[in-house]
Amino acid sequence: VRVGFGFDVHALVSGRHLILGGVNIPHTRGLEGHSDGDVALHAIADALLGATGLGDIGTHFPSSDPSIKGISSLDLLRRSASILDDALWQIENVDVTIVTECPVLAPHISRMRQHVADALSINVTQVNVKATTTDGLGFTGRNEGIAAYAIASVKEATP
Ligand SMILES: [Zn+2]
């Protein structure tokens, strides 16, 4: 059994949809990025790739690649899962914390869990999604961006 950690930040800008955990959340601004800017899914993908020693999403899906411009991060997560699958790793669980002052994410958490579980082909009970604020402190507190921290545990797949 191995564990991996992932961290990501994207800036909040106007003129973009806010996509978190694969859910389109009504908000005045969205996350900047080459893809849809979904920090939660990027952190999860990095945790999974980190646990297995398979690098990070920047290596597998570089922002210089025009074919992934505007891509759904659920797609990136699915592709990350298949990289793990090909290397004979099985996902045990993932846990992610999204750090943002607003909007309130509580109403969207269960859908995020389901989206992540579906993208990774695991059970929803193997996925945990949490949200917190920084009490107005720092760049997340000033609503300049959203951060996400994720941890994942994997084990060798039984052949
Ligand atoms: Zn990212």
Side-chain angles (χ1 to χ4, degrees):
V1 174
R2 297 211 207 169
V3 296
F5 175 75
F7 170 69
D8 197 26
V9 171
H10 283 255
L12 272 168
V13 294
S14 44
R16 299 264 300 177
H17 289 293
L18 178 60
I19 315 286
L20 284 172
V23 177
N24 195 336
I25 296 166
H27 194 48
T28 50
R29 292 181 298 159
L31 294 170
E32 198 166 42
H34 184 67
S35 64
D36 59 12
D38 193 326
V39 280
L41 300 191
H42 296 177
I44 292 171
D46 264 351
L48 289 167
L49 294 167
T52 52
L54 291 166
D56 59 38
I57 52 167
T59 313
H60 291 281
F61 314 107
S63 54
S64 56
D65 179 356
S67 78
I68 57 167
K69 186 168 168 53
I71 196 173
S72 163
S73 296
L74 281 170
D75 214 3
L76 295 181
L77 194 58
R78 257 180 242 117
R79 294 194 203 181
S80 303
S82 87
I83 291 170
L84 262 73
D85 201 44
D86 290 346
L88 302 177
W89 288 102
Q90 190 179 323
I91 300 163
E92 281 281 285
N93 77 300
V94 299
D95 184 21
V96 62
T97 297
I98 304 167
V99 186
T100 184
E101 209 66 25
C102 69
V104 173
L105 299 182
H108 309 287
I109 296 289
S110 66
R111 278 179 68 214
M112 291 185 199
R113 281 182 81 188
Q114 192 63 60
H115 279 305
V116 172
D118 290 348
L120 298 177
S121 301
I122 57 177
N123 195 282
V124 73
T125 58
Q126 293 169 280
V127 179
N128 198 60
V129 178
K130 311 185 294 298
T132 190
T133 72
T134 49
D135 279 340
L137 299 172
F139 69 88
T140 52
R142 293 187 298 269
N143 294 305
E144 293 166 6
I146 295 180
Y149 301 81
I151 191 162
S153 141
V154 300
K155 67 177 182 186
E156 285 180 49
T158 37

